Amino acid sequence: ANTPFIFSSFFLDLNILDWNLENLIAVALGSTAYIWNGRTLQGIESIDLNSGSKYISSLAWIKEGTCLAIGTSDGEVQLWDIEKKRRLRNMFGHLSVVGALSWNHYILSSGSRLGSIHHHDVRVAQHHVGSLCQKTQSICSLKWSLTSQLLASGSSDGTLNIWHGDPGVNVQSQPLKTIPHSSAVKAMNWCPWQSNVLATGGGMKDGILRVWDINHEKLLQSAATDSQICSLLWLPKTSELMTGQGLPGNQMKIWQHPALINSSELYGHEGRVLNVALSPDQRRLFSVAADGIACVWKCHESKESKKKKMFFS
């Protein structure tokens, strides 16, 4: 019998989905990361930590290639070459759950539940080349800008920090900008066609989609989504935003940009949408939700019949 994904509440604030330019999808479940061919949606590989006590808390593909970074619940960061099916290295330094990862060329930045951010140069033996400390609660989102000049970090206490793009900062420097939110900044993404624009989503106490001009620390537009925003991505082909929502609808909402008018919604999940990823050709979406199901959707089609549920065999 087929068994659906089971995403317990334990994993709700983690980043366990990514889709790379090589058309490979990675999804973490417990101590295992599963890799699919994004074209055929067939499973091709799995990575198992072989541990009953730790789990995969975040993952991120390098921008070009088949190297997958994996953050674990005990503070470790691992690098895997999926094409060669082998682990490249283990990198230590965090003392708690690594809940967010983001690549800047060969610099991998990792954020932990204790509020620290480490920069790793994966090309050298002494990989730890810089640290940042928010002195706040858990890092739940981390994104390098497309120009690699700025790093945005969101924390569970509602703090959005913008950091200088130089990863070789070996001091606990102060952020360039701090923008307060009223709840956890779990959903966050830089605009692909406007390098200074960042979209953020609020947690259960907030539910507001915000679009910022980071250079001027200016709120450009906002919209109430009427529920928790758990995930967020841009749709470049149509200049839109998509948010993954929690209760009461557990749907994905599409917003026209820059007006932030809710143009359509995707229904089908019965739990909040934890992570959403866009295919390299921008024609399909992959969503994982707390209902234990992962779905693949055709973009710009809102009927439930246009999604395909993914199961383990």
Side-chain angles (χ1 to χ4, degrees):
N2 288 331
T3 304
F5 293 129
I6 304 299
F7 297 104
S8 72
S9 59
F10 198 55
F11 298 96
L12 295 184
D13 292 326
L14 307 181
N15 295 280
I16 53 174
L17 167 67
D18 201 12
W19 198 335
N20 74 354
L21 295 177
E22 306 292 332
N23 214 355
L24 296 176
I25 303 168
V27 178
L29 176 63
S31 62
T32 305
Y34 298 88
I35 314 298
W36 281 282
N37 181 312
R39 182 180 61 84
T40 64
L41 300 180
Q42 298 296 312
I44 60 174
E45 188 61 59
S46 63
I47 298 169
D48 200 320
L49 299 182
N50 295 314
S51 172
S53 60
K54 68 179 179 179
Y55 57 88
I56 296 174
S57 48
S58 54
L59 48 75
W61 293 103
I62 196 170
K63 186 174 182 180
E64 296 179 356
T66 58
C67 179
L68 180 67
I70 289 176
T72 70
S73 58
D74 64 350
E76 185 181 358
V77 178
Q78 299 183 3
L79 295 183
W80 288 79
D81 187 323
I82 300 303
E83 187 175 13
K84 296 181 180 179
K85 300 181 180 180
R86 67 186 181 94
R87 185 173 60 194
L88 299 175
R89 66 186 304 178
N90 300 59
M91 299 185 293
F92 302 93
H94 286 294
L95 301 176
S96 184
V97 177
V98 180
L101 296 166
S102 185
W103 286 92
N104 178 2
H105 301 291
Y106 292 99
I107 301 296
L108 175 64
S109 299
S110 56
S112 84
R113 188 161 287 178
L114 295 180
S116 61
I117 299 169
H118 292 169
H119 300 308
H120 314 267
D121 187 335
V122 302
R123 300 167 297 179
V124 298
Q126 299 299 321
H127 59 87
H128 188 183
V129 294
S131 291
L132 306 169
C133 186
Q134 290 198 156
K135 297 181 180 178
T136 61
Q137 295 184 26
S138 167
I139 304 289
C140 51
S141 56
L142 200 61
K143 295 285 183 180
W144 278 100
S145 66
L146 276 73
T147 61
S148 304
Q149 295 179 346
L150 298 172
L151 176 67
S153 65
S155 65
S156 58
D157 67 352
T159 303
L160 170 65
N161 279 331
I162 307 298
W163 305 87
H164 190 273
D166 180 10
V169 179
N170 260 315
V171 296
Q172 295 183 355
S173 61
Q174 296 297 314
L176 294 174
K177 304 175 190 295
T178 297
I179 303 173
H181 287 55
S182 56
S183 61
V185 188
K186 168 66 168 67
M188 178 176 68
N189 231 323
W190 293 93
C191 178
W193 61 90
Q194 290 178 285
S195 60
N196 63 313
V197 172
L198 179 72
T200 61
M204 286 183 287
K205 297 178 182 178
D206 192 319
I208 297 177
L209 173 62
R210 297 177 174 90
V211 178
W212 303 89
D213 177 344
I214 292 301
N215 286 352
H216 300 94
E217 206 168 331
K218 178 183 178 182
L219 180 64
L220 298 176
Q221 190 60 273
S222 64
T225 68
D226 301 321
S227 67
Q228 178 186 16
I229 303 173
C230 307
S231 50
L232 182 157
L233 59 80
W234 294 85
L235 304 176
K237 277 192 174 182
T238 55
S239 298
E240 294 174 313
L241 271 164
M242 169 171 281
T243 53
Q245 307 285 154
L247 292 171
N250 298 314
Q251 76 273 49
M252 291 181 285
K253 294 186 176 184
I254 297 176
W255 306 83
Q256 295 175 6
H257 176 73
L260 295 190
I261 298 171
N262 184 199
S263 58
S264 59
E265 302 185 8
L266 301 174
Y267 286 89
H269 283 296
E270 296 180 2
R272 50 180 165 166
V273 183
L274 306 177
N275 297 116
V276 184
L278 183 65
S279 65
D281 62 8
Q282 301 177 24
R283 294 180 178 178
R284 289 178 297 167
L285 295 157
F286 196 105
S287 61
V288 294
D291 58 2
I293 301 294
C295 295
V296 179
W297 309 76
K298 291 183 179 179
C299 284
H300 322 308
E301 300 192 40
S302 59
K303 294 181 180 179
E304 187 173 339
S305 61
K306 300 302 181 182
K307 75 175 188 300
K308 178 179 179 180
K309 291 185 178 181
M310 301 286 288
F311 295 88
F312 287 127
S313 299

